[in-house]
Amino acid sequence: MLLEDLNPEQRLACESVEGPNLIIAGAGSGKTRTLTYRIAYLIQQGVNPHNILALTFTNKAANEMRERIVDLVGDNAKYIFMGTFHSIFSKILRIEAERLGYLNSFTIYDTENSKSVIRAIVKDFNLDDKLYNKSYLLNRISAAKSSLISPQAYMDNEQLMMEDRANSRPYIAKIYQEYNHRLRRNMAMDFDDLLFNMNVLLRDHNDLLLKYQERFKYILVDEYQDTNFAQYYIVKKLSARYRNICVVGDDAQSIYAFRGADIRNILDFQKDYPDAKLFKLEQNYRSTSNIVNAANSVISRNSKKIEKKVWTNNGEGRKINFCKSDSDKDEAKWICNTIRDRIREEDADYKDFAILYRTNQQSRVLEENFRFLNIPYRIFSGISFYGRKEIKDILAYFSLVVNNSDDEAFLRVINYPARSIGDTSINKLKILANEENVSLFHTALNHIDKIQLTPRTKQSIIDFVTMIQAFTIEKDKIDAYELGVKIIAKSNIVTTLKNEADPAVEDKLDNIDELISAIQAFVESEDEMILDEQTGEEIALRNKTLDIFVQQTSLLSETDRGDKNDDNTVSLMTIHSAKGLEFSYVFVAGMEENLFPSAMCIGSQVEMEEERRLFYVAMTRAKKELALSCAQMRFRNGSIAYNEESRFLADIDKDYFNENYNNLKEKTKLKTPSFSNSDFVSVNRNLKKIDTLPKPIGGTPVTDMNAFEEGMEVYHDKFGKGKILALEGKGDDTKAEVNFVGFGIKKLVLRFAKLKLM
DNA sequence: GGATTTGTTTCCACC
DNA sequence: AAACAAATCC
């Protein structure tokens, strides 16, 4: 029997096939397994795979799940519609593009493209680009789109307009409007448009709403805690007819509020569907009990959550390993050494290890060490494969061929490789394009005679657009591989690269080869099956054309990238990209205040709770051993940062740590005999204690950080009287070790400590 | 028009 | 520190 491998709760969650269902799945509770079996069970019960829509968090997860379901219930299962929100709805938008006034060859803009469009608008509007910062604007626009607020709705929204005025940025609505206008002119959609336009499609076209409601009779959503309003609304609309909606998630792992994810979607599911059945998967099969309990103690500090108790039958396992090093370099060394030790002493391989960090820039120093020590590694985040310049250049050629209206692509490649078409000529083209209200490509092709250009430049432009046009004519006739290889050859990018005195040329050529292999794999991949609405016949979508390749790749994340399966490498990635993954040994590096939790969240309770959930996610990736590390000194953004250890360390009871941590704390404790509380940070949390402190007494405030000397008696607002034991650093970075009466030795950054001389 | 130098920005996570 | 944009020179 299919479901006999599941535990009782998992099994109940699978068997409840009809109606609204909410599955709260704790970390490591076999969520993917349950989802997989649930879908397999649906099919076994006679549900047509065509009628199943499964929305997952990564494309890779979708593909793995699909394969597993095929294994369980047979080949028919490959027809289920499964993938990320963005990839599924981009496919539907492609099919229905004309309803929205788009061609189906529309381009999907990534963040870089979007920012570039915004920068151009700010320039054209003659606005201050410091005030109208492109990242800020894109965030603002993205937030609006994720909440289904159109430019018009934005202008009509008093709240938003008031916020912008209060921020001295009254023109954001106008920029948003112009941004959308330009995207449309470029026949492009940004990431948020894929969701926004899907909503428009379902809102304005009743026949399509009905068509997809009928099509997707059973809807499953994974990682529901990370859905935003636009996603929530699509799901709500699509499931409104049959109400077979099953959402799976864990509120404790909600980590995407920054991009509009709304935790209320999962918290309020039962309000939306009062008849919803609730299932809780609480048994953790992944981690040791020490890790599970430590993670529980962290998440228990958060206030807003659905009650659940994650537990495990697994053995206690090893205590949490810890290292506080002097610098980021030493931290990296410690991690590498520990990995080597484990591999030598235990039955472990490089692929069993992951190093997780809060910010991408932390990967650099780690990478240096891995290189130096010859430990094979792979960085999953940071500059992704498709973000590399040489790859983006080629993809821009592809985009322009597929969609001649794509001005961003045009501008990127018009003079790369150099064709003697400089800024002056391009600006003339831009002005004319604006007057004619057509794309740059179109202007160059049809209106070139209207501008004054040197014959040489003019010929260059004509040659360029003629070349692109020739490719465009072929785009539906030959497959992506054939056309792609042709474009790469004719564009001369490879030859140009070879002539550059760039030490990284070999890498770049390798990357281009990898891109070509990816196109080949795409062309050779199995055809996607669709159902003919009229006849009910299954049809293979055989067009492996370049436009589909381009659309598909723009939605790939680095974690989706096919690892060369037998890759035995240590994984380096941000905690965000580690979501859903697991490793035997997990290192969380950079456990420091202002880094993790990020400086931007300190001061906001809500954001701090999200950081804490992020830490929870990091901890629960580990199966066998969890190691946390921090550095006293770290290079960041061109300067040295000194940070205290992360407050999250103190969220974990010290019993869960090994001696590395407790010895360190023991030392501190010995130096501070008068502070008897064993919880070494309770000072920070225990407000009562602070309230009972003597009221501040007099003293001289000090502004010059060099005025302090060892042995001086000082006064601190919270810790009271103390004596300076040691000073280190100078100027604004000066730190002091001060022995406070009743609080013991504290290390303080003088700039913030507001010490007074007694 | 193109190369080189100088100045400026970004410093949180991502589809 | 490094990536990016602008300014300057040839």
Side-chain angles (χ1 to χ4, degrees), chain A residues 246-307:
Chain A
C246 173
V247 303
V248 187
D250 180 5
D251 56 299
Q253 295 182 64
S254 157
I255 55 173
Y256 280 102
F258 73 91
R259 66 171 193 208
D262 194 337
I263 194 165
R264 280 176 304 181
N265 291 345
I266 194 164
L267 296 176
D268 292 349
F269 186 81
Q270 288 168 294
K271 280 188 201 150
D272 274 2
Y273 302 94
D275 55 330
K277 290 189 211 89
L278 171 68
F279 301 92
K280 287 186 188 177
L281 311 182
E282 296 175 306
Q283 181 175 0
N284 178 307
Y285 294 96
R286 179 185 296 153
S287 317
T288 65
S289 71
N290 189 69
I291 292 170
V292 169
N293 292 337
N296 281 342
S297 73
V298 168
I299 204 65
S300 72
R301 318 269 172 178
N302 274 7
S303 58
K304 229 170 56 174
K305 54 184 182 271
I306 296 176
E307 272 320 311

Side-chain angles (χ1 to χ4, degrees), chain A residues 565-619:
Chain A
N565 269 332
D566 40 25
D567 253 17
N568 187 16
T569 60
V570 176
S571 299
L572 277 67
M573 63 182 87
T574 61
I575 303 168
H576 282 91
S577 28
K579 183 163 113 164
L581 305 178
E582 59 177 31
F583 301 89
S584 291
Y585 303 84
V586 169
F587 293 81
V588 185
M591 294 298 304
E592 294 140 43
E593 286 288 300
N594 299 319
L595 183 62
F596 191 26
S598 152
M600 293 173 174
C601 311
I602 292 171
S604 155
Q605 163 98 18
V606 176
E607 288 178 57
M608 187 57 74
E609 294 209 349
E610 173 147 318
E611 292 284 295
R612 190 172 283 112
R613 290 193 295 270
L614 192 57
F615 185 42
Y616 177 77
V617 169
M619 295 174 80

Side-chain angles (χ1 to χ4, degrees), chain A residues 181-193:
Chain A
H181 182 72
R182 291 196 187 185
L183 285 193
R184 195 166 262 280
R185 206 175 61 188
N186 290 359
M187 197 58 74
M189 297 191 199
D190 66 16
F191 291 137
D192 301 304
D193 283 336

Side-chain angles (χ1 to χ4, degrees), chain A residues 41 56 83 164 236 252 424 428 448 460 545 591 644:
Chain A
Y41 184 72
T56 59
D164 288 345
K236 193 182 166 90
T424 326
K428 286 179 186 165
I448 188 90
S460 263
T545 47
M591 294 298 304
E644 300 299 317

Side-chain angles (χ1 to χ4, degrees), chain A residues 43-100:
Chain A
I43 295 170
Q44 203 188 53
Q45 295 297 301
V47 173
N48 188 333
H50 282 292
N51 293 132
I52 300 174
L53 170 67
L55 297 161
T56 59
F57 194 68
T58 65
N59 289 304
K60 197 177 170 206
N63 293 334
E64 286 170 3
M65 222 186 279
R66 190 196 310 272
E67 281 172 26
R68 183 82 185 95
I69 297 168
V70 166
D71 286 347
L72 289 171
V73 292
D75 211 38
N76 201 27
K78 70 183 177 201
Y79 303 135
I80 39 184
F81 234 53
M82 182 142 75
T84 62
F85 273 89
H86 288 88
S87 73
I88 295 282
F89 296 127
S90 72
K91 280 176 191 164
I92 293 179
L93 288 172
R94 193 184 153 79
I95 295 169
E96 314 293 352
E98 63 191 81
R99 296 288 191 109
L100 296 163

Side-chain angles (χ1 to χ4, degrees), chain A residues 425-476:
Chain A
S425 313
I426 291 171
N427 277 330
K428 286 179 186 165
L429 259 183
K430 277 187 188 167
I431 291 165
L432 184 60
N434 231 358
E435 283 168 10
E436 304 279 339
N437 199 24
V438 289
S439 68
L440 292 170
F441 181 86
H442 199 78
T443 310
L445 191 66
N446 298 318
H447 307 288
I448 188 90
D449 291 328
K450 295 182 187 166
I451 14 178
Q452 195 68 41
L453 294 166
T454 63
R456 200 173 87 109
T457 310
K458 188 176 158 186
Q459 194 53 49
S460 263
I461 295 177
I462 291 172
D463 287 349
F464 175 73
V465 288
T466 314
M467 172 179 78
I468 298 294
Q469 200 185 25
F471 293 138
T472 302
I473 291 167
E474 289 189 292
K475 82 178 170 94
D476 295 319

